[in-house]
Amino acid sequence: MKISLPQDSRLMSEHFIYGVATASFQIEGSAASRLPCIWDTFCATPGKIRDGSNGDSACEHIDRWQQDVELIAALGVDAYRLSVSWGRVLHRDGSINIQGAQFYIDLLDELKRRNIKAFVTLYHWDLPQHIEDKGGWLNRETPYLFRDYADKISRLFGDRVYSYATLNEPFCSSYLGYETGIHAPGLAKKAYGRQAAHHLLLAHGLAMQVLQNNSPHSLNGIVLNFTPCYPQSADDADITAAKVADDYFNQWYIKPILDGAYPVLLETLDSQDRPVILDGDMDIIARPLDFLGVNFYTRAVYRHCPQQGFEQVPQSAAPKTDIGWEIYPQAFSELLIKLNDTYELPPIYITENGAAMADKCVDGRVDDPDRLAYYQSHLNAVHTAVEQGVNVKGYFAWSLMDNFEWAEGYLKRFGIVYVDYPSQTRTIKASGLAYRDLICSRRASSHHNNK
Ligand code: GBH
């Protein structure tokens, strides 16, 4: 089984960047050598993580990183997207933790030596607990602490980094963390979700400013997730419901950055749910990006509902991944095309796309045809969008390897590499081999063109 794309596709050019992605809390382990974060606390709260697990050891990446870099190199990728654990590189007082910082410096040096571009995300959800104890993303001081962290890290890493993303998916941090409580810190109030979102966006803007100063040659931007919203029927009420949901879950995070304003939905919120926005905030948030990272997994269907205005309609008959998310690749092309029509976009990198499947390792092999098919259909969808004029420059598979899947613990496997947790053995899945073959089958034609 293989993954293939039209030979003349931009995705088959050697300039198109292919990568694999991970995040600190999900793979690192070695929790004792960093500050506690909100996910440690959340994992220790009974009932929050489906299998009762935590991130104490995860994939033991801190101890096994050299082997993991071998694996990344064996996949033939151009780039590796990782995140930095704030509480591993800074002490409580904000000074640098030399040992923790050295881990990333060694890793980045090794990637550089192997010609693998480093895409570094500064915040993939692991807020130090002592900052949460002072209100976390509800406290207006947190964005300024984040700016200081971004400043220290970008000075320290110097020219080892090809691209910095300030935040991964502020939707998840704010909505899942502070509005529904499905993620850490587990708070559940609409007003909290909206205020956390604003402070995260402010943190992004403040950090962009220091990144552009300290690291003007890296691609600096942000990673947002999108779950496109479709109406259940052609009725006006359902169309409006889907539009409101889209503004609430998707446009809320991109429009302030690219247009300097929240969706008009802001004005329809009850006054106690509206975030405090100070003069000048929107200008800070709207600093120009070098790139926009887009994460895509699935779509959602909505219908009108009198109470909240919209409600999600389960797609019971639709094909799904092992985590229950509908497989609907068409939404991926439609999303990219629509974003391109709506906004003045910077270059786009697909910073995450992938599927959870119920994998089994048998005789040292993992056959995952459904994941392979997911990659095939979603890469086709990116190709379609590129054909329509969307400027997509790279694609990262989520994830390099199976890891701690947040509220699902270790029960859901997203890797293109299988991890047997008891032995910590890594095995490249059939989808990983196909991804490698796709990457190395790209044409080197542009050499001829530029002679
Ligand atoms: C990403 O989040 C994370 O960045 C990454 O750390 C994580 O491991 C990975 O995805 C896999 O979860 O219930 O059908 O409406 C993605 C988060 C996924 C949140 C889709 C919204 C909607 C699914 N998004 N989800 S549905």
Side-chain angles (χ1 to χ4, degrees):
M1 278 269 268
K2 39 186 259 164
I3 303 173
S4 59
L5 289 160
Q7 201 54 43
D8 61 353
S9 170
R10 175 164 178 194
L11 275 71
M12 289 302 283
S13 144
E14 59 163 4
H15 298 297
F16 192 84
I17 292 181
Y18 281 99
V20 284
T22 64
S24 48
F25 191 87
Q26 295 180 273
I27 64 164
E28 286 182 354
S30 291
S33 54
R34 56 162 172 76
L35 297 175
C37 75
I38 56 175
W39 274 92
D40 297 310
T41 311
F42 197 64
C43 291
T45 312
K48 298 298 184 188
I49 310 299
R50 202 181 289 270
D51 60 357
S53 64
N54 59 46
D56 289 0
S57 342
C59 303
E60 297 183 3
H61 174 68
I62 293 282
D63 306 309
R64 298 170 187 273
W65 68 270
Q66 301 187 23
Q67 179 198 343
D68 290 338
V69 174
E70 289 285 347
L71 209 50
I72 294 164
L75 290 166
V77 293
D78 308 301
Y80 173 48
R81 174 172 178 247
L82 65 138
S83 81
V84 174
S85 157
W86 187 340
R88 194 180 289 288
V89 294
L90 295 192
H91 292 295
R92 270 186 85 113
D93 66 0
S95 64
I96 292 167
N97 177 333
I98 308 282
Q99 235 194 315
Q102 196 61 45
F103 163 73
Y104 294 105
I105 290 173
D106 292 344
L107 173 63
L108 294 170
D109 281 342
E110 184 59 21
L111 291 169
K112 190 150 212 180
R113 201 180 67 73
R114 291 175 184 265
N115 254 315
I116 298 166
K117 296 176 168 66
F119 279 65
V120 171
T121 300
L122 292 175
Y123 183 74
H124 200 125
W125 312 353
D126 39 3
L127 188 73
Q129 181 63 42
H130 71 95
I131 300 178
E132 180 59 34
D133 293 342
K134 292 192 171 156
W137 292 111
L138 300 177
N139 182 344
R140 199 179 157 93
E141 276 175 32
T142 301
Y144 293 87
L145 294 176
F146 182 72
R147 176 177 69 180
D148 180 62
Y149 159 57
D151 180 46
K152 293 207 165 83
I153 295 312
S154 52
R155 286 172 198 274
L156 206 59
F157 290 176
D159 65 0
R160 296 174 179 89
V161 176
Y162 183 84
S163 161
Y164 281 107
T166 54
L167 307 175
N168 178 69
E169 304 185 343
F171 158 83
C172 291
S173 303
S174 56
Y175 182 73
L176 301 179
Y178 290 83
E179 194 163 329
T180 67
I182 291 167
H183 280 186
L187 301 180
K189 212 164 145 180
K190 190 171 192 170
Y192 290 170
R194 297 300 111 183
Q195 189 65 62
H198 183 67
H199 286 156
L200 281 151
L201 290 169
L202 187 62
H204 155 74
L206 291 166
M208 270 308 283
Q209 194 168 359
V210 309
L211 291 174
Q212 299 290 39
N213 270 317
N214 297 352
S215 185
H217 300 300
S218 53
L219 286 178
N220 304 319
I222 188 169
V223 171
L224 301 177
N225 65 294
F226 294 88
T227 304
C229 300
Y230 287 75
Q232 187 203 24
S233 78
D235 292 357
D236 284 347
D238 287 345
I239 292 171
T240 304
K243 165 88 174 74
V244 173
D246 182 54
D247 280 351
Y248 202 71
F249 298 124
N250 299 314
Q251 308 309 318
W252 202 269
Y253 302 88
I254 184 173
K255 192 174 165 65
I257 297 173
L258 296 182
D259 281 355
Y262 283 101
V264 284
L265 187 60
L266 175 70
E267 277 115 66
T268 70
L269 293 183
D270 289 347
S271 59
Q272 76 268 14
D273 293 334
R274 257 176 255 159
V276 176
I277 302 169
L278 301 189
D279 280 353
D281 284 2
M282 301 316 287
D283 291 336
I284 295 172
I285 293 170
R287 291 188 68 87
L289 305 174
D290 298 333
F291 83 100
L292 173 67
V294 171
N295 293 354
F296 175 87
Y297 290 91
T298 189
R299 70 156 180 174
V301 177
Y302 290 91
R303 69 170 158 234
H304 173 72
C305 122
Q307 293 84 38
Q308 292 98 259
F310 58 83
E311 83 185 334
Q312 198 179 340
V313 189
Q315 301 299 294
S316 43
K320 310 239 173 57
T321 65
D322 189 44
I323 202 167
W325 300 347
E326 186 186 1
I327 301 173
Y328 195 84
Q330 193 189 324
F332 199 4
S333 349
E334 289 173 354
L335 164 71
L336 293 168
I337 293 163
K338 195 162 166 198
L339 286 176
N340 200 36
D341 288 345
T342 310
Y343 297 103
E344 203 75 62
L345 292 179
I348 301 291
Y349 287 79
I350 306 305
T351 34
E352 286 180 30
N353 178 230
M357 295 292 168
D359 303 309
K360 293 271 175 304
C361 188
V362 180
D363 299 332
R365 291 158 156 274
V366 181
D367 203 20
D368 58 341
D370 295 342
R371 181 179 290 101
L372 198 152
Y374 182 97
Y375 279 115
Q376 176 69 70
S377 58
H378 288 73
L379 282 162
N380 283 343
V382 176
H383 165 74
T384 301
V386 169
E387 295 265 278
Q388 306 275 316
V390 186
N391 185 16
V392 182
K393 297 181 89 76
Y395 175 96
F396 291 75
W398 182 272
S399 175
L400 164 65
M401 57 184 160
D402 298 334
N403 58 46
F404 176 77
E405 179 48 35
W406 307 112
E408 304 289 330
Y410 296 94
L411 299 173
K412 301 298 174 201
R413 296 179 176 274
F414 271 94
I416 59 172
V417 173
Y418 185 89
V419 177
D420 175 61
Y421 293 105
S423 67
Q424 287 292 341
T425 308
R426 279 88 158 117
T427 305
I428 302 180
K429 301 177 190 179
S431 59
L433 298 173
Y435 191 54
R436 177 199 65 189
D437 291 347
L438 169 77
I439 294 167
C440 78
S441 71
R442 283 172 300 170
R443 60 174 196 272
S445 66
S446 34
H447 272 321
H448 307 268
N449 298 342
N450 317 339
K451 83 153 181 271

